[in-house]
Structures are given as C-alpha cells and as structure tokens.
C-alpha cells in the first residue's frame, strides 16, 4: 500500500487504503468499513473495529467479494487475509488465507489461487495493469476510459 496506494487492477480488483475516499467513492464501493450490523447480517465471526481480530477491508473485486485483513496479533505483517465470498458456489462465506495481501495477489495473478477470486477476474489478460485511483478519476474527468478494452 505504501508503494502503490489505492487503485484498480484490470478493472476487476479495487485496492484501497482504509482512510481514502468514502463509501461509494470507489468503482466497487471499496471504501467499506464493516459495521456491526453488516458483520451480524453476514454471520461473521469477527468483531467490529477496533477490537482485536476485527477486519480492515483493503479491496473488493468485480464479483463483490470483499478482501480484508484480520487484525489478529500485534504484527500487521502477520495478519492473514480474510475474503468474504459474496455468494459464489457455496453461498456467502468468509474464507481465510494463510498469507498476506501481496502473496495472495501474487497467487491470484499467477493463477495459483483457485476460486473464489481468480474466477473470471483475469479474463485472459496476460499483462496486468494497475491504475491509481487519482489517475482513474483524472482520465474519467477527461472523458477517457482507463479500461478501453474492458
């Protein structure tokens, strides 16, 4: 996050910092803070922020899967990634991955990570593009699609 910041990968995976934007500002409403009502509504076993083990959302894909860190432990580098599967094959579910954000993205984009995230996300793309959220807004302001072939 400190290197690239917020943006979108291949118009299918929005990446966000928790403090950027506001709900609804992103292409997929990615600036999402799990409220106690939402957590209860999706039967989450995670507490609401700022309790230890709560979720900090950092992304959302075009299938409305929400990507988060679980704030378990004192070292953010060790926080696992939790994905809320918005209703794929098994219905709504939380899936925990045994890795952090960068490794999960590498797995997804190298097609090592199976469902739910890689399904339909790459669409045959061989060279991934990242567009920073400010650049996407600038281009859209000029009437230019940042994703002309999407």
């Amino acid at each position: 996050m400190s290197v690239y910041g917020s943006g979108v990968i291949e118009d299918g995976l929005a990446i966000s910092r928790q403090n950027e934007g506001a709900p609804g500002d992103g292409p997929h409403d990615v600036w999402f803070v799990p409220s106690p009502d939402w957590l209860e509504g999706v039967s989450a076993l995670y507490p609401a922020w700022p309790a230890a083990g709560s979720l900090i959302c950092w992304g959302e894909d075009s299938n409305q899967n929400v990507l988060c860190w679980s704030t378990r432990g004192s070292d953010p580098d060790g926080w696992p990634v939790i994905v809320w599967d918005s209703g794929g094959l098994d219905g709504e579910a939380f899936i925990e991955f045994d890795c952090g954000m960068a490794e999960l993205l590498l797995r997804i984009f190298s097609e090592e990570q199976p469902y739910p995230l890689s399904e339909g996300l790459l669409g045959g793309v061989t060279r991934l593009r990242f567009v920073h959220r400010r650049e996407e807004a600038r281009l859209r302001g000029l009437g230019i699609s940042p994703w002309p072939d999407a």
Side-chain angles (χ1 to χ4, degrees):
M1 292 302 294
S2 63
V3 173
Y4 295 103
S6 299
V8 180
I9 300 170
E10 285 307 316
D11 199 28
L13 179 59
I15 309 287
S16 154
R17 289 186 184 176
Q18 192 71 11
N19 62 349
E20 288 185 346
D25 283 354
H28 307 291
D29 293 333
V30 73
W31 291 276
F32 171 72
V33 177
S35 69
D37 289 342
W38 183 83
L39 291 166
E40 183 179 331
V42 297
S43 302
L45 300 177
Y46 303 95
W49 178 262
S54 62
L55 302 178
I56 297 175
C57 298
W58 55 265
E60 183 179 0
D61 71 13
S62 55
N63 294 320
Q64 287 93 36
N65 296 313
V66 179
L67 297 91
C68 308
W69 288 290
S70 172
T71 61
R72 289 193 309 252
S74 60
D75 180 11
D77 289 333
W79 290 349
V81 171
I82 308 294
V83 175
W84 179 67
D85 174 4
S86 65
L89 298 175
D90 300 320
E92 295 176 359
F94 284 89
I95 303 165
E96 183 167 336
F97 293 89
D98 62 345
C99 61
M101 173 188 182
E103 186 175 337
L104 181 62
L105 292 175
L106 180 62
R107 289 180 189 179
I108 292 168
F109 298 135
S110 65
E111 297 183 325
E112 291 176 28
Q113 184 61 54
Y115 173 83
L117 297 174
S118 60
E119 188 170 302
L121 183 61
L122 299 178
V125 173
T126 57
R127 186 163 188 238
L128 296 169
R129 297 167 294 172
F130 172 83
V131 176
H132 193 278
R133 71 186 213 46
R134 281 187 228 112
E135 177 65 3
E136 182 178 27
R138 184 188 75 77
L139 290 170
R140 290 194 188 279
L142 295 171
I144 302 169
S145 171
W147 309 105
D149 54 345

mmCIF file of all heavy atoms in Angstrom, residues 60-88:
data_model
loop_
_atom_site.group_PDB
_atom_site.id
_atom_site.type_symbol
_atom_site.label_atom_id
_atom_site.label_comp_id
_atom_site.label_asym_id
_atom_site.label_seq_id
_atom_site.Cartn_x
_atom_site.Cartn_y
_atom_site.Cartn_z
ATOM 1 N N GLU A 60 -11.964 -4.963 -3.023
ATOM 2 C CA GLU A 60 -13.202 -5.607 -3.453
ATOM 3 C C GLU A 60 -13.049 -5.923 -4.935
ATOM 4 O O GLU A 60 -12.537 -5.111 -5.699
ATOM 5 C CB GLU A 60 -14.401 -4.694 -3.236
ATOM 6 C CG GLU A 60 -15.716 -5.351 -3.604
ATOM 7 C CD GLU A 60 -16.930 -4.460 -3.371
ATOM 8 O OE1 GLU A 60 -16.774 -3.317 -2.913
ATOM 9 O OE2 GLU A 60 -18.032 -4.908 -3.666
ATOM 10 N N ASP A 61 -13.502 -7.107 -5.318
ATOM 11 C CA ASP A 61 -13.412 -7.449 -6.730
ATOM 12 C C ASP A 61 -14.743 -7.215 -7.423
ATOM 13 O O ASP A 61 -15.732 -6.841 -6.806
ATOM 14 C CB ASP A 61 -12.877 -8.875 -6.928
ATOM 15 C CG ASP A 61 -13.855 -9.961 -6.529
ATOM 16 O OD1 ASP A 61 -15.040 -9.688 -6.315
ATOM 17 O OD2 ASP A 61 -13.421 -11.120 -6.439
ATOM 18 N N SER A 62 -14.740 -7.429 -8.721
ATOM 19 C CA SER A 62 -15.928 -7.137 -9.516
ATOM 20 C C SER A 62 -17.078 -8.107 -9.237
ATOM 21 O O SER A 62 -18.189 -7.882 -9.692
ATOM 22 C CB SER A 62 -15.586 -7.144 -11.007
ATOM 23 O OG SER A 62 -14.978 -8.372 -11.361
ATOM 24 N N ASN A 63 -16.816 -9.159 -8.466
ATOM 25 C CA ASN A 63 -17.874 -10.074 -8.033
ATOM 26 C C ASN A 63 -18.385 -9.722 -6.638
ATOM 27 O O ASN A 63 -19.075 -10.512 -6.018
ATOM 28 C CB ASN A 63 -17.360 -11.521 -8.051
ATOM 29 C CG ASN A 63 -17.045 -11.992 -9.445
ATOM 30 O OD1 ASN A 63 -17.763 -11.694 -10.392
ATOM 31 N ND2 ASN A 63 -15.946 -12.709 -9.583
ATOM 32 N N GLN A 64 -18.011 -8.561 -6.133
ATOM 33 C CA GLN A 64 -18.359 -8.061 -4.804
ATOM 34 C C GLN A 64 -17.806 -8.902 -3.662
ATOM 35 O O GLN A 64 -18.332 -8.892 -2.559
ATOM 36 C CB GLN A 64 -19.869 -7.854 -4.613
ATOM 37 C CG GLN A 64 -20.420 -6.660 -5.347
ATOM 38 C CD GLN A 64 -20.934 -7.045 -6.723
ATOM 39 O OE1 GLN A 64 -21.487 -8.119 -6.899
ATOM 40 N NE2 GLN A 64 -20.727 -6.183 -7.684
ATOM 41 N N ASN A 65 -16.728 -9.646 -3.920
ATOM 42 C CA ASN A 65 -16.008 -10.300 -2.840
ATOM 43 C C ASN A 65 -15.205 -9.213 -2.132
ATOM 44 O O ASN A 65 -14.599 -8.366 -2.784
ATOM 45 C CB ASN A 65 -15.064 -11.382 -3.369
ATOM 46 C CG ASN A 65 -15.816 -12.505 -4.050
ATOM 47 O OD1 ASN A 65 -16.796 -13.013 -3.522
ATOM 48 N ND2 ASN A 65 -15.361 -12.892 -5.223
ATOM 49 N N VAL A 66 -15.221 -9.222 -0.814
ATOM 50 C CA VAL A 66 -14.541 -8.187 -0.030
ATOM 51 C C VAL A 66 -13.277 -8.793 0.565
ATOM 52 O O VAL A 66 -13.316 -9.861 1.183
ATOM 53 C CB VAL A 66 -15.460 -7.649 1.087
ATOM 54 C CG1 VAL A 66 -14.749 -6.591 1.907
ATOM 55 C CG2 VAL A 66 -16.742 -7.084 0.491
ATOM 56 N N LEU A 67 -12.138 -8.107 0.372
ATOM 57 C CA LEU A 67 -10.850 -8.585 0.853
ATOM 58 C C LEU A 67 -10.431 -7.768 2.062
ATOM 59 O O LEU A 67 -10.467 -6.528 2.021
ATOM 60 C CB LEU A 67 -9.801 -8.473 -0.245
ATOM 61 C CG LEU A 67 -10.094 -9.336 -1.472
ATOM 62 C CD1 LEU A 67 -10.911 -8.570 -2.503
ATOM 63 C CD2 LEU A 67 -8.804 -9.798 -2.097
ATOM 64 N N CYS A 68 -10.036 -8.448 3.130
ATOM 65 C CA CYS A 68 -9.724 -7.785 4.402
ATOM 66 C C CYS A 68 -8.488 -8.411 5.041
ATOM 67 O O CYS A 68 -8.078 -9.504 4.686
ATOM 68 C CB CYS A 68 -10.876 -7.972 5.390
ATOM 69 S SG CYS A 68 -12.498 -7.529 4.803
ATOM 70 N N TRP A 69 -7.954 -7.698 6.009
ATOM 71 C CA TRP A 69 -7.005 -8.285 6.940
ATOM 72 C C TRP A 69 -7.763 -8.552 8.228
ATOM 73 O O TRP A 69 -8.640 -7.770 8.611
ATOM 74 C CB TRP A 69 -5.877 -7.322 7.285
ATOM 75 C CG TRP A 69 -4.885 -7.063 6.210
ATOM 76 C CD1 TRP A 69 -3.965 -7.925 5.716
ATOM 77 C CD2 TRP A 69 -4.677 -5.819 5.530
ATOM 78 N NE1 TRP A 69 -3.198 -7.307 4.760
ATOM 79 C CE2 TRP A 69 -3.618 -6.016 4.628
ATOM 80 C CE3 TRP A 69 -5.280 -4.567 5.589
ATOM 81 C CZ2 TRP A 69 -3.150 -5.007 3.800
ATOM 82 C CZ3 TRP A 69 -4.822 -3.574 4.768
ATOM 83 C CH2 TRP A 69 -3.764 -3.794 3.878
ATOM 84 N N SER A 70 -7.404 -9.617 8.910
ATOM 85 C CA SER A 70 -7.883 -9.835 10.271
ATOM 86 C C SER A 70 -6.788 -9.312 11.195
ATOM 87 O O SER A 70 -5.629 -9.725 11.078
ATOM 88 C CB SER A 70 -8.116 -11.317 10.543
ATOM 89 O OG SER A 70 -8.401 -11.508 11.915
ATOM 90 N N THR A 71 -7.146 -8.417 12.100
ATOM 91 C CA THR A 71 -6.157 -7.739 12.936
ATOM 92 C C THR A 71 -5.751 -8.585 14.139
ATOM 93 O O THR A 71 -5.570 -8.060 15.236
ATOM 94 C CB THR A 71 -6.690 -6.374 13.398
ATOM 95 O OG1 THR A 71 -7.873 -6.585 14.170
ATOM 96 C CG2 THR A 71 -6.974 -5.463 12.224
ATOM 97 N N ARG A 72 -5.599 -9.874 13.922
ATOM 98 C CA ARG A 72 -5.142 -10.773 14.992
ATOM 99 C C ARG A 72 -3.644 -10.611 15.177
ATOM 100 O O ARG A 72 -2.884 -10.710 14.215
ATOM 101 C CB ARG A 72 -5.444 -12.225 14.651
ATOM 102 C CG ARG A 72 -6.902 -12.568 14.715
ATOM 103 C CD ARG A 72 -7.100 -14.071 14.685
ATOM 104 N NE ARG A 72 -6.390 -14.701 13.588
ATOM 105 C CZ ARG A 72 -6.988 -15.209 12.516
ATOM 106 N NH1 ARG A 72 -8.290 -15.166 12.388
ATOM 107 N NH2 ARG A 72 -6.276 -15.769 11.569
ATOM 108 N N GLY A 73 -3.239 -10.394 16.394
ATOM 109 C CA GLY A 73 -1.819 -10.264 16.689
ATOM 110 C C GLY A 73 -1.345 -8.833 16.589
ATOM 111 O O GLY A 73 -2.016 -7.959 16.033
ATOM 112 N N SER A 74 -0.162 -8.597 17.115
ATOM 113 C CA SER A 74 0.365 -7.230 17.172
ATOM 114 C C SER A 74 1.161 -6.834 15.939
ATOM 115 O O SER A 74 1.471 -5.664 15.756
ATOM 116 C CB SER A 74 1.235 -7.066 18.421
ATOM 117 O OG SER A 74 2.311 -7.998 18.371
ATOM 118 N N ASP A 75 1.497 -7.791 15.070
ATOM 119 C CA ASP A 75 2.324 -7.508 13.892
ATOM 120 C C ASP A 75 1.467 -7.503 12.625
ATOM 121 O O ASP A 75 1.052 -8.560 12.152
ATOM 122 C CB ASP A 75 3.419 -8.557 13.773
ATOM 123 C CG ASP A 75 4.320 -8.319 12.575
ATOM 124 O OD1 ASP A 75 4.243 -7.235 11.944
ATOM 125 O OD2 ASP A 75 5.116 -9.230 12.258
ATOM 126 N N PRO A 76 1.206 -6.320 12.044
ATOM 127 C CA PRO A 76 0.397 -6.262 10.821
ATOM 128 C C PRO A 76 0.952 -7.109 9.681
ATOM 129 O O PRO A 76 0.197 -7.574 8.832
ATOM 130 C CB PRO A 76 0.399 -4.779 10.453
ATOM 131 C CG PRO A 76 0.637 -4.075 11.744
ATOM 132 C CD PRO A 76 1.557 -4.984 12.523
ATOM 133 N N ASP A 77 2.269 -7.321 9.642
ATOM 134 C CA ASP A 77 2.842 -8.160 8.593
ATOM 135 C C ASP A 77 2.393 -9.613 8.714
ATOM 136 O O ASP A 77 2.490 -10.375 7.762
ATOM 137 C CB ASP A 77 4.369 -8.092 8.606
ATOM 138 C CG ASP A 77 4.890 -6.749 8.122
ATOM 139 O OD1 ASP A 77 4.185 -6.087 7.328
ATOM 140 O OD2 ASP A 77 5.993 -6.360 8.545
ATOM 141 N N GLY A 78 1.904 -10.002 9.876
ATOM 142 C CA GLY A 78 1.445 -11.362 10.089
ATOM 143 C C GLY A 78 -0.059 -11.527 10.003
ATOM 144 O O GLY A 78 -0.573 -12.636 10.180
ATOM 145 N N TRP A 79 -0.781 -10.442 9.732
ATOM 146 C CA TRP A 79 -2.241 -10.538 9.661
ATOM 147 C C TRP A 79 -2.655 -11.362 8.443
ATOM 148 O O TRP A 79 -2.224 -11.086 7.321
ATOM 149 C CB TRP A 79 -2.865 -9.161 9.564
ATOM 150 C CG TRP A 79 -2.780 -8.331 10.805
ATOM 151 C CD1 TRP A 79 -2.404 -8.725 12.058
ATOM 152 C CD2 TRP A 79 -3.084 -6.943 10.908
ATOM 153 N NE1 TRP A 79 -2.458 -7.676 12.924
ATOM 154 C CE2 TRP A 79 -2.878 -6.564 12.244
ATOM 155 C CE3 TRP A 79 -3.510 -5.990 10.005
ATOM 156 C CZ2 TRP A 79 -3.091 -5.277 12.701
ATOM 157 C CZ3 TRP A 79 -3.723 -4.696 10.453
ATOM 158 C CH2 TRP A 79 -3.520 -4.348 11.786
ATOM 159 N N PRO A 80 -3.522 -12.342 8.636
ATOM 160 C CA PRO A 80 -3.995 -13.114 7.487
ATOM 161 C C PRO A 80 -5.032 -12.333 6.689
ATOM 162 O O PRO A 80 -5.666 -11.405 7.185
ATOM 163 C CB PRO A 80 -4.635 -14.343 8.131
ATOM 164 C CG PRO A 80 -5.095 -13.863 9.470
ATOM 165 C CD PRO A 80 -4.079 -12.826 9.892
ATOM 166 N N VAL A 81 -5.180 -12.747 5.448
ATOM 167 C CA VAL A 81 -6.212 -12.165 4.585
ATOM 168 C C VAL A 81 -7.488 -12.981 4.756
ATOM 169 O O VAL A 81 -7.464 -14.209 4.749
ATOM 170 C CB VAL A 81 -5.770 -12.160 3.113
ATOM 171 C CG1 VAL A 81 -6.915 -11.769 2.195
ATOM 172 C CG2 VAL A 81 -4.596 -11.214 2.926
ATOM 173 N N ILE A 82 -8.580 -12.280 4.912
ATOM 174 C CA ILE A 82 -9.905 -12.878 5.012
ATOM 175 C C ILE A 82 -10.707 -12.344 3.835
ATOM 176 O O ILE A 82 -10.736 -11.138 3.585
ATOM 177 C CB ILE A 82 -10.625 -12.467 6.315
ATOM 178 C CG1 ILE A 82 -9.752 -12.717 7.545
ATOM 179 C CG2 ILE A 82 -11.987 -13.130 6.413
ATOM 180 C CD1 ILE A 82 -9.452 -14.150 7.839
ATOM 181 N N VAL A 83 -11.354 -13.230 3.108
ATOM 182 C CA VAL A 83 -12.181 -12.819 1.977
ATOM 183 C C VAL A 83 -13.621 -13.198 2.269
ATOM 184 O O VAL A 83 -13.906 -14.335 2.639
ATOM 185 C CB VAL A 83 -11.716 -13.482 0.660
ATOM 186 C CG1 VAL A 83 -12.664 -13.138 -0.481
ATOM 187 C CG2 VAL A 83 -10.297 -13.044 0.326
ATOM 188 N N TRP A 84 -14.497 -12.215 2.119
ATOM 189 C CA TRP A 84 -15.920 -12.510 2.198
ATOM 190 C C TRP A 84 -16.386 -12.812 0.785
ATOM 191 O O TRP A 84 -16.380 -11.954 -0.089
ATOM 192 C CB TRP A 84 -16.717 -11.338 2.785
ATOM 193 C CG TRP A 84 -18.183 -11.652 2.842
ATOM 194 C CD1 TRP A 84 -18.795 -12.587 3.631
ATOM 195 C CD2 TRP A 84 -19.227 -11.036 2.093
ATOM 196 N NE1 TRP A 84 -20.153 -12.594 3.403
ATOM 197 C CE2 TRP A 84 -20.443 -11.649 2.461
ATOM 198 C CE3 TRP A 84 -19.251 -10.031 1.135
ATOM 199 C CZ2 TRP A 84 -21.671 -11.288 1.913
ATOM 200 C CZ3 TRP A 84 -20.468 -9.670 0.585
ATOM 201 C CH2 TRP A 84 -21.659 -10.283 0.980
ATOM 202 N N ASP A 85 -16.735 -14.068 0.572
ATOM 203 C CA ASP A 85 -17.240 -14.532 -0.721
ATOM 204 C C ASP A 85 -18.710 -14.156 -0.769
ATOM 205 O O ASP A 85 -19.520 -14.666 -0.005
ATOM 206 C CB ASP A 85 -17.040 -16.041 -0.818
ATOM 207 C CG ASP A 85 -17.655 -16.657 -2.057
ATOM 208 O OD1 ASP A 85 -18.190 -15.912 -2.907
ATOM 209 O OD2 ASP A 85 -17.614 -17.881 -2.172
ATOM 210 N N SER A 86 -19.058 -13.274 -1.674
ATOM 211 C CA SER A 86 -20.400 -12.687 -1.696
ATOM 212 C C SER A 86 -21.501 -13.622 -2.165
ATOM 213 O O SER A 86 -22.651 -13.212 -2.234
ATOM 214 C CB SER A 86 -20.399 -11.435 -2.575
ATOM 215 O OG SER A 86 -20.126 -11.791 -3.910
ATOM 216 N N GLY A 87 -21.186 -14.830 -2.460
ATOM 217 C CA GLY A 87 -22.260 -15.741 -2.830
ATOM 218 C C GLY A 87 -21.907 -16.700 -3.925
ATOM 219 O O GLY A 87 -22.768 -17.185 -4.634
ATOM 220 N N GLY A 88 -20.662 -17.019 -4.072
ATOM 221 C CA GLY A 88 -20.223 -17.935 -5.122
ATOM 222 C C GLY A 88 -20.826 -19.319 -4.973
ATOM 223 O O GLY A 88 -21.985 -19.482 -4.611
#
